[in-house]
Amino acid sequence: MFVYKQILSFHRTHHQSKNSSPPPEEGSAAAPTAAAASEAQKTDPAKMKIANTESIQEFFKTYGMEVDLATATVDKVKIPKKWDESFSAFNTVVKESGMSLEKYKGKTVEKWLVLCPGRSSGDQKAYGVLLVYKEQPVGAYLLAQPGGEVTGLTTAAQTAAPLTDEEAAAAAAEFGEGGDAAAAAAAP
């Protein structure tokens, strides 16, 4: 796994909040007219149009991840023109999501950060990070905080999310572990 430390704090230009726009109404010119085009976008997240927070939610859903849109923040960051070994290794993690930052060297992109509650537990928070250039996703990964570990979305999707306290208690009770306290905690 790769540790995040200074990789995407690269050349931060400014922080802004971006309001999401409502989805287009059915039948409007902006609404998709072909269901097939919509399905193609869902099967290839790298081709999705990222126009608002709802499209960010849809992006992460393609990897089986739920996100909390109320936590969404966006920064403008600049992809470095020259990469060291560390940034090249970071791009390898990004490539796991079917994208690469190679074509975006020297470009300013939006860096969306959104909490993944189902992958967070206790003090350990997991955030989905989506890098967007001109409404197109160009990079994505899962960021664990406070440690700074980054994981590719494909690997994260194949890894089970941590159990909630209730699920852990129920599992312990099912396997006869944890005594009466676990059984009581698991009881409805």
Side-chain angles (χ1 to χ4, degrees), residues 49-134:
K49 180 178 179 180
I50 307 298
N52 54 38
T53 54
E54 287 81 13
S55 51
I56 290 167
Q57 183 175 41
E58 288 303 312
F59 178 89
F60 285 106
K61 275 186 180 179
T62 64
Y63 290 95
M65 296 178 202
E66 293 295 323
V67 296
D68 180 0
L69 292 181
T71 66
T73 61
V74 62
D75 284 328
K76 295 229 180 214
V77 294
K78 189 170 186 175
I79 308 291
K81 284 184 182 181
K82 294 186 179 185
W83 293 3
D84 59 11
E85 283 182 35
S86 181
F87 203 88
S88 294
F90 172 73
N91 192 49
T92 301
V93 172
V94 169
K95 284 181 177 180
E96 189 181 302
S97 305
M99 296 170 255
S100 175
L101 299 174
E102 287 281 337
K103 295 186 334 187
Y104 303 97
K105 289 180 177 181
K107 305 275 188 211
T108 299
V109 299
E110 292 177 332
K111 176 185 154 193
W112 286 89
L113 183 75
V114 62
L115 180 68
C116 299
R119 296 194 166 266
S120 299
S121 67
D123 292 340
Q124 295 295 315
K125 302 294 182 203
Y127 294 90
V129 179
L130 180 58
L131 304 174
V132 179
Y133 183 74
K134 296 184 179 182

Side-chain angles (χ1 to χ4, degrees), residues 23-35:
E25 293 183 26
E26 289 287 326
S28 73
T33 56

Side-chain angles (χ1 to χ4, degrees), residues 16-53:
Q16 67 184 35
S17 176
K18 197 173 210 182
N19 294 330
S20 63
S21 56
E25 293 183 26
E26 289 287 326
S28 73
T33 56
S38 177
E39 284 303 310
Q41 285 181 343
K42 286 181 183 176
T43 53
D44 187 359
K47 295 188 180 185
M48 294 177 75
K49 180 178 179 180
I50 307 298
N52 54 38
T53 54

